[in-house]
Amino acid sequence: ASTDWAHVAADLAPIACDTGERETRRKSRDYYWFSPLLKAEIDDWRADLIATPADLAELETLVAYCVAHRLPITVRGAGTGNYGQCMPRHGGVVVDLTRLDRVLSIGEGTFRAQGGIRMYDLEQELNRTGQELRFFPSTWRSATLGGFIAGGTTGCGAIGHGTLHTPGNVLALKILTAGDTPTLIELTGAEAQAAVHAYGTNGIIVEAELALAPLGRWHDRIYALPDLGAAMDLADRIGRDRTLAKKQLAVVDAAVIPLVRPLAETVPAGSALVLAMIGEDSLASADAAANELGGSVAFARAPGEKTGLVPAIYEMCWNHTTLHAIGRDKSISYLQCGFPADYRPVVLAVAAELGDEMPMHLEFATIDGELVCFGIPLLRFTSAERLAQIHAILRSHGCQVFNPHTYVLENGGMQVADPQQLAFRRTSDPHGLFNPGKMPGWDVPDAA
Ligand code: FAD
């Protein structure tokens, strides 16, 4: 039987609900349109009702109601995900979590906050205690903590601290389940990974406890190098030098510069660039390394200094590079891959093979003490067939492909449902109501 959504909204009062055309469309979207394939496939996915609980008690009431009536529940933070993650495949209720936005505690080296808090607001409170987030997505001005944990991976700070999967970063998550009696469950240590990057398919992150870093004085630096090889050499030197403090480390090839307006207006055309945030005491050694490799400082900015045209370095890195490029050229999309440990020859071989079809963009992380090179290259998109060929080319060079052109969790990276996430979902979401259709390994027993 079809659901009477006006009736649902009346039942849920006083929880704020909206069934209007405009709001259900606006809150059912993310940045899925970075992918022409997702744009074509999921553009019309729409919630029937947007609910914005004011606090945890209202959220619990809402989830209990949805379970009782077998209504799909898709959680939304800020809707900055890239793969239609918060878009409701089967309609139903989209829960806007941004009113659960309290910092609960800040200790020495850790904090606990509610899942709907904006990461940038959180950082301001942390900074007042002389501490900072270990890493954050480049979208942190709007992105929420819970949305990052459930939908993201890492970002600015990866070069110091790895990813959300690196042990010691995510310390605990409090999860609201959708069992017959919705329950709050605390997952600690490695257990918490069950809900990390699970797209909200196995529970709602209502609180998160993460590890912190001491507050740094980070200087923005753009180094111009003669070519991609030299830029990788500089990134490698900076990345591996444990005595050199850094928060952000990326490389873009010369072909990216005209596509990113602030770069096009700031740095010399034809150079390959290292985009970095360097600790104040390490600037001299990073600048010297650039000079030794035939490079120079093309842009420098001290903490807090205002420089009109050029955004924060991280707002030209990660998927912000892609955002700028799509803004300039609508035919651009992107790829995501992991390069092997000996990445330099592989990056050069792939760049030579794909040339201007794939302007190169690399991001660096430190994971288990090792320097890891990820690719987020731009792609001059032509067709799904060509995309599949390019993925095959990347794999033939030993790269791991993280396909950003799919809304299916399993198809993005591992190709199979993560056993820990799946096992947790069997108990936390027995009716398959959370974000149904995104994890086909446990697909929709009751919903929709
Ligand atoms: P949403 O998009 O609202 O949600 C993401 C997923 O999490 C959805 O599946 C949603 O259902 C689920 N979810 C949301 N809140 C909760 C909750 N409390 N409990 C359970 N599930 C929940 N990602 C990175 O990791 N690093 C980057 O540097 C980065 N850069 C980006 C740059 C651009 C320009 C864009 C468009 C995207 C980028 N992203 C990046 C992706 C995205 O912005 C981040 O992952 C961001 O943290 C998502 O937060 P959000 O609040 O917008 O989540």
Side-chain angles (χ1 to χ4, degrees):
S2 71
T3 306
D4 178 345
W5 290 100
H7 191 96
V8 172
D11 279 354
L12 286 171
I15 299 171
C17 291
D18 197 324
T19 56
E21 175 72 24
R22 195 164 162 271
E23 191 68 351
T24 51
R25 179 167 167 74
R26 192 169 77 83
K27 293 266 174 81
S28 297
R29 296 163 69 82
D30 64 6
Y31 285 72
Y32 67 106
W33 46 266
F34 270 35
S35 162
L37 298 181
L38 290 178
K39 171 89 179 118
E41 195 180 350
I42 72 175
D43 197 44
D44 60 350
W45 288 2
R46 200 72 52 85
D48 296 289
L49 182 148
I50 309 293
T52 309
D55 52 28
L56 181 57
E58 283 198 1
L59 180 68
E60 289 176 303
T61 304
L62 172 69
V63 170
Y65 182 94
C66 290
V67 171
H69 294 82
R70 302 290 190 264
L71 302 175
I73 310 162
T74 303
V75 182
R76 176 186 174 90
T80 67
N82 287 115
Y83 328 122
Q85 288 139 294
C86 69
M87 294 175 62
R89 169 92 175 81
H90 295 283
V93 176
V94 160
V95 184
D96 178 336
L97 221 70
T98 52
R99 289 177 72 188
L100 274 73
D101 62 354
R102 284 169 41 222
V103 176
L104 300 168
S105 64
I106 304 178
E108 275 299 310
T110 65
F111 74 94
R112 182 175 274 253
Q114 288 187 306
I117 191 168
R118 288 186 202 284
M119 295 189 76
Y120 187 82
D121 299 340
L122 169 63
E123 178 81 338
Q124 307 316 306
E125 294 206 32
L126 297 173
N127 289 174
R128 285 195 273 278
T129 70
Q131 304 182 88
E132 64 183 26
L133 290 164
R134 288 187 165 187
F135 46 76
F136 55 82
S138 59
T139 46
W140 73 332
R141 285 182 201 279
S142 45
T144 63
L145 181 62
F148 178 50
I149 295 169
T153 307
T154 184
C156 180
I159 191 59
H161 298 282
T163 75
L164 289 164
H165 299 299
T166 306
N169 286 333
V170 179
L171 303 175
L173 299 176
K174 188 179 277 183
I175 306 287
L176 180 60
T177 70
D180 285 321
T181 309
T183 312
L184 289 167
I185 296 182
E186 178 92 0
L187 300 175
T188 53
E191 281 173 2
Q193 290 296 317
V196 171
H197 204 78
Y199 293 6
T201 54
N202 56 14
I204 301 179
I205 300 166
V206 295
E207 288 178 17
E209 189 175 318
L210 267 62
L212 291 170
L215 181 61
R217 276 188 63 77
W218 305 111
H219 286 243
D220 285 351
R221 278 287 193 273
I222 303 179
Y223 297 105
L225 280 299
D227 56 33
L228 181 59
M232 281 193 283
D233 291 340
L234 177 58
D236 201 85
R237 289 258 293 263
I238 295 174
R240 288 188 202 279
D241 185 343
R242 282 162 200 255
T243 67
L244 200 155
K246 56 262 174 185
K247 177 90 178 181
Q248 165 61 32
L249 189 61
V251 164
V252 296
D253 203 358
V256 173
I257 296 176
L259 293 164
V260 177
R261 192 166 164 217
L263 294 178
E265 291 173 355
T266 309
V267 303
S271 330
L273 306 176
V274 173
L275 304 175
M277 288 165 66
I278 304 288
E280 197 152 76
D281 297 340
S282 301
L283 285 172
S285 52
D287 292 357
N291 287 335
E292 275 170 37
L293 291 162
S296 59
V297 177
F299 176 78
R301 178 167 47 203
E305 191 185 327
K306 298 268 177 280
T307 323
L309 273 177
V310 183
I313 286 290
Y314 56 79
E315 283 174 345
M316 296 181 287
C317 295
W318 299 96
N319 239 339
H320 266 81
T321 316
T322 320
L323 181 67
H324 285 285
I326 295 174
R328 288 217 124 180
D329 179 344
K330 295 277 172 283
S331 71
I332 298 272
S333 187
Y334 73 119
L335 301 165
Q336 293 177 161
C337 65
F339 287 100
D342 185 14
Y343 62 88
R344 190 182 192 282
V346 179
V347 172
L348 290 176
V350 169
E353 187 164 350
L354 293 165
D356 198 44
E357 189 175 7
M358 200 185 77
M360 191 56 85
H361 165 200
L362 308 172
E363 293 285 344
F364 292 84
T366 304
I367 298 175
D368 297 331
E370 297 296 327
L371 185 67
V372 176
C373 176
F374 293 107
I376 317 182
L378 301 175
L379 171 69
R380 293 186 195 280
F381 183 85
T382 46
S383 68
E385 293 69 33
R386 180 61 186 156
L387 177 68
Q389 281 171 6
I390 292 173
H391 281 162
I393 290 170
L394 289 171
R395 288 195 184 96
S396 75
H397 284 277
C399 300
Q400 192 181 2
V401 171
F402 306 106
N403 182 9
H405 301 276
T406 173
Y407 61 83
V408 175
L409 185 54
E410 291 95 314
N411 294 351
M414 307 211 329
Q415 308 300 317
V416 289
D418 178 279
Q420 187 187 7
Q421 293 181 347
L422 192 56
F424 183 59
R425 190 170 190 188
R426 285 185 206 285
T427 56
S428 67
D429 185 23
H431 305 294
L433 299 174
F434 278 137
N435 208 351
K438 304 293 177 61
M439 189 201 259
W442 177 245
D443 211 8
V444 204
D446 291 357

